[in-house]
């Protein structure tokens, strides 16, 4: 639809020009209209009207006679041009000359043979010239607009060249180790002789692997910006077309252009679109994709070599790439770009907060604590949503409530305040969510509640953000048991206070059962011992391992696994019941506050638990004047010579 509109915008002006030209030609024809007379009419005109001069144009078989006479009509004189044809014979010519001499009319003889030849030639050539010119301009405009009509550039590279990249390492926060690995590339691009003297070869290719939004593209741009070299960027899907051989041609053209601008960086985003394993899958491979991959392999490590060209690639699935692509000599180095931890999230938030104003109660360390598992892109989206909410609410600064609401929007979407619940349902949801909060506040290793709300979002009637007290790489059995106990808190609170249970604990039961089964079948945290009973990999990728996914244990073991899962769930359920029974008064305080305010954050829940009252609320009118200005992070610790080169 977009291309069609662009084509209409290009062709429509030319159609209007042609219409205007045709209108002008018709006007000129009307203004210069000539009256065609018969010979008898010509004789009558000569005798009756005032004719002073005629022009004779002899041709092969006739003589063209043209002239002009003046006629009076209603007191006005009008000039009329006439034309007639006389046979080119001696008798007719003599008769014509005698008539003109009798009327004393001046005779002019004009040889039009040469003029007719030129005019005839021009009249035949001009239409074709106009048509060719129109087609030339249309195709040129289509190509300049970047449409799909690039018929003559179909095999050219689609890589975009950027020669003045502004991104620097200081714009990338929370990825110190990743930046340290990429610093060598910057030093090589700025001073390759130093590495050559030592006999070292810089990696030809670096593969950035990690979840979406973790900053892989940003890191690649930072490398190009620090080294101040040309930066080619392209997506893996832009190589592959319907026609076999086009992708390979684009790869050749891309490397040809890169050699002309070496040293430079080629960044291929989502390389798994073209670099997947060859010959895998139930339906076979794709010839075009495999030929493109083969050409990419040859260009990266072929006979000619590509000195001065460093290839950076990004993917979310390194396990699906072809082994030939990952071997040394092509992608020598893989850098894992994972989701940031708490400290890294706080740094990322400070980077994105440089141009925003925040209230005094906004603590980025606390915000980082409330956003476990968030990527850098999601954190940037959180602060942007918070700024939009502050403008919508006419706040002078971004308050803590704006940030909390922004986190909820990123996780579950906007609140559905129009959805109506009965008073009993609201009370049930409030006590359910308060049960989770009490477990987190009381049990040592349980997840803490960062945010509780009874405002529905998505398909959930309430929302409870629970995060671990400390982010660790490993989890002990005690921590996992405490997590399951926290999930049971809402169900237990319903049973203790209402003597009934609802379907609101559906997701809690699902998550608790998943953790308990994982403890038994994969982690060996049960009476069955340290034995792995389940592969845990039930996803089929392109038909690979399709027949190998099956359970190898007996029916008796399956029964015992179910028994152990039930034992873990029952133990955690009993523990949650004891905790909630002992803290019924505090749970009621939190539940009543939820019914009144609908949403509570961590500070408010902590104050209700310890003091029984809500903390003072910031009014959102005074800017935060004591907040220190943002400080750029220190450079990465590295060799002093490398630091000098970076500066």
């Amino acid at each position: 639809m977009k291309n069609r509109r662009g084509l209409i915008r290009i062709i429509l002006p030319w159609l209007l020009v042609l219409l205007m030209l045709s209108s002008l030609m018709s006007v000129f024809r009307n203004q210069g209209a000539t009256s065609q007379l018969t010979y008898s009419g010509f004789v009558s005109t000569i005798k009756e009207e005032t004719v002073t001069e005629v022009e004779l144009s002899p041709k092969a078989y006739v003589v063209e006679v043209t002239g002009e006479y003046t006629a009076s009509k209603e007191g006005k004189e009008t000039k009329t041009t006439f034309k007639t044809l006389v046979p080119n014979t001696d008798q007719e010519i003599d008769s014509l000359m005698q008539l003109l001499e009798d009327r004393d009319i001046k005779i002019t003889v004009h040889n039009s043979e040469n003029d007719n030849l030129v005019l005839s030639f021009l009249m035949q050539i001009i239409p074709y010239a106009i048509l060719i010119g129109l087609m030339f301009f249309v195709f040129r405009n289509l190509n300049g607009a970047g449409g799909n009509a690039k018929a003559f550039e179909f095999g050219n590279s689609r890589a975009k060249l950027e020669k003045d990249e502004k991104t620097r390492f200081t714009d990338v926060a929370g990825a110190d180790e990743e930046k340290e690995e990429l610093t060598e590339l910057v030093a090589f691009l700025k001073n390759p002789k130093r590495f050559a003297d030592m006999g070292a070869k810089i990696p030809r290719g670096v593969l950035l692997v990690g979840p979406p939004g973790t900053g892989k593209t940003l890191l690649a741009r930072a490398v190009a910006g620090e080294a101040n070299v040309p930066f080619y960027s392209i997506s893996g899907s832009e190589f592959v077309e319907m026609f076999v051989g086009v992708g390979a041609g684009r790869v050749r053209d891309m490397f040809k252009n890169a050699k002309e601008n070496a040293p430079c960086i080629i960044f291929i985003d989502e390389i798994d679109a073209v670099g997947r394993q060859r010959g895998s899958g139930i339906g076979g491979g794709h010839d075009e994709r495999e030929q493109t991959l083969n050409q990419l392999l040859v260009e990266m490590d072929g006979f000619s070599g590509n000195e001065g060209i460093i290839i950076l690639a990004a993917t979310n699935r390194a396990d699906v790439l072809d082994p030939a692509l990952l071997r040394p000599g092509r992608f020598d180095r893989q850098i894992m770009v994972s989701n940031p931890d708490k400290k890294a999230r706080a740094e990322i938030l400070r980077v994105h907060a440089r141009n925003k104003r925040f209230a005094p109660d906004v603590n980025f360390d606390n915000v980082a604590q409330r956003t476990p598992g968030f990527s850098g892109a999601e954190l940037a989206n959180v602060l942007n949503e918070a700024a939009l909410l502050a403008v919508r609410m006419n706040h002078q600064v971004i308050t803590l409530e704006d940030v909390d609401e922004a986190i909820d929007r990123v996780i579950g979407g906007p609140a559905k305040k129009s959805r109506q619940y009965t008073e009993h349902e609201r009370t049930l949801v409030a006590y359910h969510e308060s049960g989770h909060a009490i477990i987190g506040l009381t049990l040592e290793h349980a997840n803490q509640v960062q945010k509780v709300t009874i405002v529905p979002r998505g398909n959930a009637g309430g929302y409870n953000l629970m995060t671990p007290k400390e982010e660790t790489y490993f989890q002990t059995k005690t921590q996992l048991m405490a997590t399951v106990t926290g999930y049971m808190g809402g169900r237990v609170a319903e049973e203790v206070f209402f003597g009934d249970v609802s379907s609101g604990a559906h997701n809690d039961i699902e998550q608790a059962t998943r953790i308990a089964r994982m403890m038994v079948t994969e982690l060996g945290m049960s009476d069955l011992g340290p034995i792995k009973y389940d592969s845990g990999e039930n996803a089929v990728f392109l038909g690979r391992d399709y027949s190998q996914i099956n359970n190898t244990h007996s029916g008796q073991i399956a029964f015992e696994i179910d028994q152990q899962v039930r034992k873990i769930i029952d133990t955690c359920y009993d523990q949650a019941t004891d905790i909630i029974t002992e803290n019924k008064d505090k749970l009621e305080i939190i539940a009543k506050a939820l019914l009144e305010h609908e949403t509570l954050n961590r500070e408010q829940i902590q104050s209700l638990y310890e003091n029984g009252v809500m903390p003072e609320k910031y009014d959102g009118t005074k800017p935060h004047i004591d907040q220190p200005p943002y400080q750029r992070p220190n450079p990465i610790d590295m060799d002093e010579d490398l630091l000098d080169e970076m500066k």
Side-chain angles (χ1 to χ4, degrees):
M1 181 63 70
K2 184 178 179 181
N3 294 336
R4 185 181 301 173
R5 292 178 179 175
L7 185 63
I8 292 175
R9 285 199 301 267
I10 294 172
I11 295 179
L12 186 59
W14 294 100
L15 294 177
L16 295 176
V17 170
L18 291 176
L19 290 175
M20 293 176 62
L21 289 176
S22 62
S23 301
L24 291 175
M25 291 177 65
S26 64
V27 171
F28 291 149
R29 280 197 298 267
N30 293 333
Q31 289 181 353
T34 301
S35 176
Q36 184 72 31
L37 301 177
T38 62
Y39 185 73
S40 59
F42 166 71
V43 173
S44 300
T45 301
I46 292 296
K47 294 180 179 181
E48 297 175 1
E49 304 293 345
T50 303
V51 180
T52 59
E53 183 179 1
V54 296
E55 184 178 277
L56 304 181
S57 300
K59 296 183 180 180
Y61 300 102
V62 294
V63 175
E64 185 179 280
V65 182
T66 58
E68 188 179 70
Y69 66 88
T70 304
S72 298
K73 186 177 182 180
E74 298 179 358
K76 295 182 180 180
E77 293 185 352
T78 58
K79 293 183 178 182
T80 304
T81 301
F82 64 86
K83 181 174 68 173
T84 188
L85 298 177
V86 178
N88 192 358
T89 62
D90 294 339
Q91 183 179 357
E92 295 295 336
I93 295 299
D94 292 341
S95 176
L96 174 64
M97 298 299 291
Q98 185 64 40
L99 177 63
L100 295 176
E101 290 176 358
D102 293 343
R103 304 298 296 179
D104 196 18
I105 298 174
K106 183 180 178 180
I107 302 172
T108 302
V109 180
H110 175 69
N111 187 5
S112 60
E113 183 177 356
N114 295 332
D115 295 343
N116 291 337
L117 291 176
V118 175
L119 182 62
S120 176
F121 177 76
L122 291 177
M123 292 302 293
Q124 293 179 3
I125 293 299
I126 288 176
Y128 295 101
I130 294 175
L131 180 61
I132 293 174
L134 180 62
M135 293 177 61
F136 172 76
F137 282 109
V138 167
F139 278 109
R140 191 182 69 172
N141 291 334
L142 281 176
N143 289 335
N148 291 332
K150 296 186 177 181
F152 304 104
E153 300 179 3
F154 197 68
N156 292 0
S157 171
R158 297 291 191 267
K160 303 176 182 64
L161 174 60
E162 300 178 15
K163 292 188 176 181
D164 190 15
E165 181 60 48
K166 303 297 184 181
T167 308
R168 297 293 185 269
F169 277 148
T170 52
D171 299 317
V172 183
D176 294 341
E177 292 79 8
E178 292 82 353
K179 289 189 289 185
E180 186 174 0
E181 290 290 325
L182 294 172
T183 302
E184 290 181 356
L185 302 182
V186 176
F188 170 77
L189 291 170
K190 303 185 81 172
N191 187 11
K193 185 177 181 300
R194 179 184 175 191
F195 291 84
D197 293 341
M198 188 61 66
K201 293 183 179 179
I202 202 67
R204 294 193 179 186
V206 176
L207 183 64
L208 303 174
V209 184
T214 52
K216 299 183 291 296
T217 304
L218 185 63
L219 281 170
R221 292 186 177 278
V223 172
E226 292 286 353
N228 194 23
V229 296
F231 181 76
Y232 288 90
S233 61
I234 190 171
S235 174
S237 60
E238 295 185 65
F239 289 112
V240 183
E241 291 286 352
M242 179 178 63
F243 305 104
V244 177
V246 174
R250 290 179 178 177
V251 172
R252 287 190 295 268
D253 187 65
M254 180 181 67
F255 277 89
K256 176 184 175 183
N257 296 334
K259 290 176 184 178
E260 296 174 356
N261 293 275
C264 65
I265 293 175
I266 295 178
F267 176 64
I268 305 176
D269 197 10
E270 304 297 342
I271 194 174
D272 52 282
V274 69
R276 292 198 176 192
Q277 295 182 16
R278 292 168 289 182
S280 61
I282 297 177
H286 190 283
D287 290 339
E288 163 63 358
R289 182 181 59 78
E290 291 192 0
Q291 288 195 21
T292 306
L293 174 58
N294 292 337
Q295 186 64 42
L296 182 62
L297 296 176
V298 172
E299 293 290 345
M300 290 185 67
D301 189 22
F303 292 102
S304 60
N306 293 295
E307 297 298 332
I309 300 177
I310 295 178
I311 300 176
L312 297 178
T315 181
N316 305 326
R317 293 287 305 275
D319 58 317
V320 305
L321 297 179
D322 194 90
L325 193 63
L326 301 178
R327 73 159 178 83
R330 293 192 175 107
F331 283 110
D332 305 86
R333 182 179 298 177
Q334 293 188 25
I335 299 178
M336 300 299 300
V337 186
S338 57
N339 283 327
D341 57 11
K342 177 183 175 182
K343 179 182 177 182
R345 290 197 299 272
E347 294 177 0
I348 294 173
L349 288 168
R350 292 187 178 93
V351 168
H352 293 292
R354 286 180 293 188
N355 60 341
K356 299 177 177 65
R357 295 180 298 172
F358 289 89
D361 57 347
V362 177
N363 188 316
F364 291 127
D365 293 327
N366 292 340
V367 175
Q369 178 71 26
R370 300 175 189 179
T371 53
F374 275 45
S375 64
E378 289 174 324
L379 293 173
N381 192 25
V382 165
L383 293 189
N384 185 63
E385 287 288 342
L388 294 175
L389 288 171
V391 174
R392 185 184 304 176
M393 301 301 295
N394 295 323
H395 293 168
Q396 297 182 8
V397 291
I398 302 174
T399 64
L400 180 62
E401 287 77 8
D402 297 329
V403 177
D404 287 337
E405 177 64 21
I407 295 174
D408 293 342
R409 282 174 170 264
V410 172
I411 294 176
K416 297 183 178 180
K417 296 183 179 180
S418 61
R419 182 180 295 178
Q420 298 295 326
Y421 284 130
T422 64
E423 190 62 29
H424 176 72
E425 287 177 327
R426 291 184 72 253
T427 305
L428 184 68
V429 173
Y431 277 86
H432 178 102
E433 303 299 341
S434 300
H436 292 300
I438 287 295
I439 299 296
L441 293 169
T442 305
L443 194 58
E444 181 179 359
H445 297 286
N447 291 342
Q448 288 185 331
V449 176
Q450 301 291 339
K451 176 74 173 291
V452 178
T453 178
I454 59 175
V455 177
R457 293 180 184 272
N459 295 326
Y463 173 72
N464 198 320
L465 176 60
M466 302 175 67
T467 62
K469 296 179 181 179
E470 294 181 357
E471 293 186 27
T472 59
Y473 288 101
F474 306 101
Q475 285 185 302
T476 64
K477 180 180 178 180
T478 303
Q479 291 174 330
L480 292 174
M481 293 286 288
T483 301
V484 176
T485 303
Y487 281 120
M488 294 290 102
R491 173 68 172 255
V492 170
E494 295 179 10
E495 187 174 358
V496 169
F497 284 92
F498 298 95
D500 197 1
V501 293
S502 69
S503 61
H506 174 269
N507 186 65
D508 298 333
I509 296 174
E510 179 182 355
Q511 296 298 327
T513 305
R514 180 185 60 83
I515 295 174
R517 182 167 291 276
M518 180 180 65
M519 292 172 62
V520 175
T521 60
E522 299 181 34
L523 304 179
M525 295 180 179
S526 69
D527 295 340
L528 296 180
I531 302 176
K532 185 179 176 72
Y533 292 104
D534 194 359
S535 64
E537 299 178 357
N538 295 324
V540 179
F541 165 67
L542 296 178
R544 186 179 63 188
D545 299 334
Y546 183 79
S547 62
Q548 298 179 8
I549 299 179
N550 53 9
N551 293 324
T552 57
H553 50 74
S554 64
Q556 178 63 29
I557 294 298
F559 173 76
E560 294 181 7
I561 289 174
D562 293 338
Q563 292 292 102
Q564 293 298 319
V565 171
R566 179 181 296 275
K567 180 180 179 181
I568 292 175
I569 297 295
D570 291 342
T571 301
C572 295
Y573 195 90
D574 294 339
Q575 186 179 18
T577 302
D578 295 338
I579 293 174
I580 289 178
T581 303
E582 294 174 1
N583 296 274
K584 291 180 63 175
D585 297 338
K586 296 180 179 180
L587 191 149
E588 283 191 277
I589 294 175
I590 297 175
K592 291 179 181 179
L594 266 178
L595 290 172
E596 180 180 356
H597 301 282
E598 291 189 335
T599 302
L600 300 176
N601 57 36
R602 177 186 174 185
E603 290 79 4
Q604 294 169 337
I605 296 172
Q606 191 73 28
S607 178
L608 289 170
Y609 180 78
E610 295 176 354
N611 306 320
V613 294
M614 291 281 288
E616 295 182 2
K617 184 178 180 181
Y618 177 69
D619 58 5
T621 57
K622 297 180 181 179
H624 187 193
I625 58 176
D626 297 330
Q627 185 177 2
Y630 171 76
Q631 300 291 336
R632 288 185 176 271
N634 294 327
I636 307 170
D637 294 333
M638 62 183 78
D639 186 78
E640 294 183 358
D641 294 335
L642 293 179
L643 277 174
D644 294 337
E645 292 176 3
M646 292 288 294
K647 294 177 181 179

